[in-house]
Amino acid sequence: MIRFRQTRDSQAERDRHADVDLSVDDLIMPYFVVEGRDRQEAVPSMPGVSRLSIDRLVDEARGLYCAGVSKVLLFGVVDDKDKDERGSAAYSSDNLIARAVRALKSALPGMTVITDICLCEYTSHGHCGLLRPSVSEAGALDVDNDSTLPLLAEMARTHAMAGADIVAPSAMMDGQVAAIRARLDEDPQTEDCQVMGYSAKYASAFYGPFRDAAGSAPGDASASWPGFKLPANRKTYQMDYRTRTQGLEEIAADIQEGAAYVMVKPAMPYLDILARATDKFGLGTESAHVKMVAYQVSGEYAMLCAAAENGWLDRDRVIYESLIGIKRAGAELIITYFAKEVAEKRLTLNGYLK
Ligand code: PBG
């Protein structure tokens, strides 16, 4: 008999045997940014999360920074009237996110600012890239990979020029990291901006609340393509989750294309992918310079909040346990809507949750 219980019989003993921990330095806080001033709109399916105008974002980020979280991820949300078929508002000069980056960097120079690079929040049809008539199905539309790449690269360039530290392409177009890296490398002013690939991003139902927040669900293309059928979902570009190995191939490709960070998304249902990716590409391997990131997405957040609100789960303890689980699987950084709450409750967490 091995007396494992000796390792658990006091708080001090349990602390000595713990080899995974959670720090505020591990956390990245996502924000949804809207035009206007003094605007704050609650997102019903994500309790505690709001869309913020740039002035409110800066106030909010100041509080986050004081609580100890020094990394944010920005999503732009534009009004329907500002959307078009090509998602022009994503990469127009002085676009919403470029202005948000500038404001954040001037108020909080120590804040690491990451921007999401994707067209879905800006296209009238809600897809992550440009549409074209399908080559395989008459009367249907497809999302066109190669013509989307220069637009993603241009979007990344405008954010990097504004001072973004990291750009994070999430459109799941093949070659997006290489296209962005090449564009950033053309100019000394943008060459130090890093790329965080949403490398293993699955076509997940857990993004539902995000699409409410960002108004980015695939919708309508009838204005530009009368009579054509729009793809109803993102399954032709985001990954099918019924595969064990493709996530690792996607990650390998992003590393080869020059990503400094690679991501698995969502987090909780995909910890196997994260763990295997960490074994293959994480610390102690030939690509140890690349950091592993996991995204605890909107649906994971909504699910835990809902159970806690019903009194079915203890909020603090499930937040902490879920994040430790993601760390244990190998994430060095976690994007989570709980980031600020975890940082603000830090003392309680240390005292209560071990
Ligand atoms: C943009 C994007 C999405 C998310 C991050 N970037 C939505 C999607 O792919 O539909 C989801 C994040 C979340 O659910 O919290 N493509």
Side-chain angles (χ1 to χ4, degrees):
M1 173 168 77
I2 299 174
R3 291 203 175 272
F4 287 109
R5 293 188 54 187
Q6 290 174 348
T7 69
R8 305 170 196 148
D9 69 1
S10 68
Q11 184 65 58
E13 199 66 46
R14 291 191 291 275
D15 288 350
R16 261 195 297 285
H17 284 88
D19 54 18
V20 180
D21 67 357
L22 183 67
S23 152
V24 286
D25 292 329
D26 305 331
L27 304 174
I28 301 172
M29 180 73 188
Y31 285 116
F32 299 102
V33 190
V34 289
E35 292 285 4
R37 278 195 65 79
D38 205 23
R39 222 174 131 190
Q40 172 157 4
E41 302 164 357
V43 179
S45 52
M46 300 178 73
V49 173
S50 297
R51 303 182 201 98
L52 302 169
S53 54
I54 293 175
D55 52 329
R56 290 285 188 107
L57 169 74
V58 171
D59 289 347
E60 180 59 34
R62 211 175 263 123
L64 180 78
Y65 197 72
C66 290
V69 177
S70 60
K71 294 177 267 301
V72 295
L73 170 62
L74 304 184
F75 295 96
V77 182
V78 298
D79 297 332
D80 283 346
K81 66 171 175 40
D82 296 324
K83 297 183 180 183
D84 63 26
E85 213 230 334
R86 297 177 59 81
S88 312
Y91 43 84
S92 57
S93 64
D94 215 33
N95 60 69
L96 172 63
I97 291 299
R99 278 177 279 129
V101 171
R102 244 180 256 119
L104 272 179
K105 278 298 197 180
S106 85
L108 298 163
M111 184 71 93
T112 296
V113 180
I114 310 166
T115 63
D116 187 78
I117 304 295
C118 186
L119 301 187
C120 67
E121 299 101 311
Y122 305 91
T123 49
S124 44
H125 45 77
H127 275 289
C128 301
L130 293 183
L131 299 176
R132 64 163 186 201
S134 165
V135 276
S136 55
E137 190 188 342
L141 296 167
D142 247 351
V143 175
D144 184 29
N145 196 86
D146 295 12
S147 67
T148 302
L149 296 178
L151 305 186
L152 298 175
E154 178 58 12
M155 184 179 183
R157 190 192 67 79
T158 64
H159 296 178
M161 284 299 282
D165 301 282
I166 302 172
V167 290
S170 68
M172 286 303 278
M173 296 299 124
D174 293 324
Q176 60 184 7
V177 171
I180 290 170
R181 195 60 269 163
R183 182 71 67 91
L184 296 176
D185 288 344
E186 282 170 11
D187 184 340
Q189 276 187 279
T190 54
E191 71 185 6
D192 289 333
C193 179
Q194 294 179 298
V195 179
M196 176 184 287
Y198 279 72
S199 312
K201 174 172 175 177
Y202 293 84
S204 171
F206 285 94
Y207 307 150
F210 174 96
R211 292 178 190 170
D212 287 347
S216 64
D220 183 21
S222 53
S224 334
W225 299 92
F228 277 88
K229 195 168 96 214
L230 184 73
N233 55 50
R234 308 205 198 289
K235 290 183 184 178
T236 64
Y237 43 104
Q238 298 181 350
M239 293 179 58
D240 191 311
Y241 45 76
R242 298 167 301 171
T243 150
R244 279 199 188 88
T245 51
Q246 224 186 67
L248 303 187
E249 291 182 70
E250 288 272 5
I251 290 171
D254 276 4
I255 293 173
Q256 211 162 24
E257 291 180 27
Y261 299 80
V262 291
M263 192 194 302
V264 174
K265 174 190 171 191
M268 296 197 306
Y270 297 86
L271 294 181
D272 58 324
I273 307 290
L274 181 60
R276 280 161 53 231
T278 302
D279 287 346
K280 204 159 173 195
F281 306 110
L283 293 173
T285 70
E286 277 175 26
S287 38
H289 64 284
V290 177
K291 293 220 170 286
M292 300 296 310
V293 186
Y295 197 145
Q296 185 178 48
V297 301
S298 57
E300 300 177 69
Y301 174 82
M303 180 168 77
L304 296 180
C305 288
E309 270 170 34
N310 276 291
W312 298 336
L313 290 175
D314 179 309
R315 183 173 179 107
D316 290 359
R317 292 171 65 195
V318 291
I319 293 172
Y320 191 73
E321 184 177 336
S322 67
L323 296 174
I324 287 284
I326 296 166
K327 284 285 306 276
R328 193 179 59 237
E332 291 161 87
L333 294 168
I334 305 172
I335 303 168
T336 172
Y337 301 94
F338 291 120
K340 190 175 193 195
E341 181 173 346
V342 169
E344 283 175 342
K345 288 180 174 170
R346 184 159 34 161
L347 290 176
T348 328
L349 286 169
N350 284 344
Y352 168 55
L353 281 167
K354 273 179 186 162

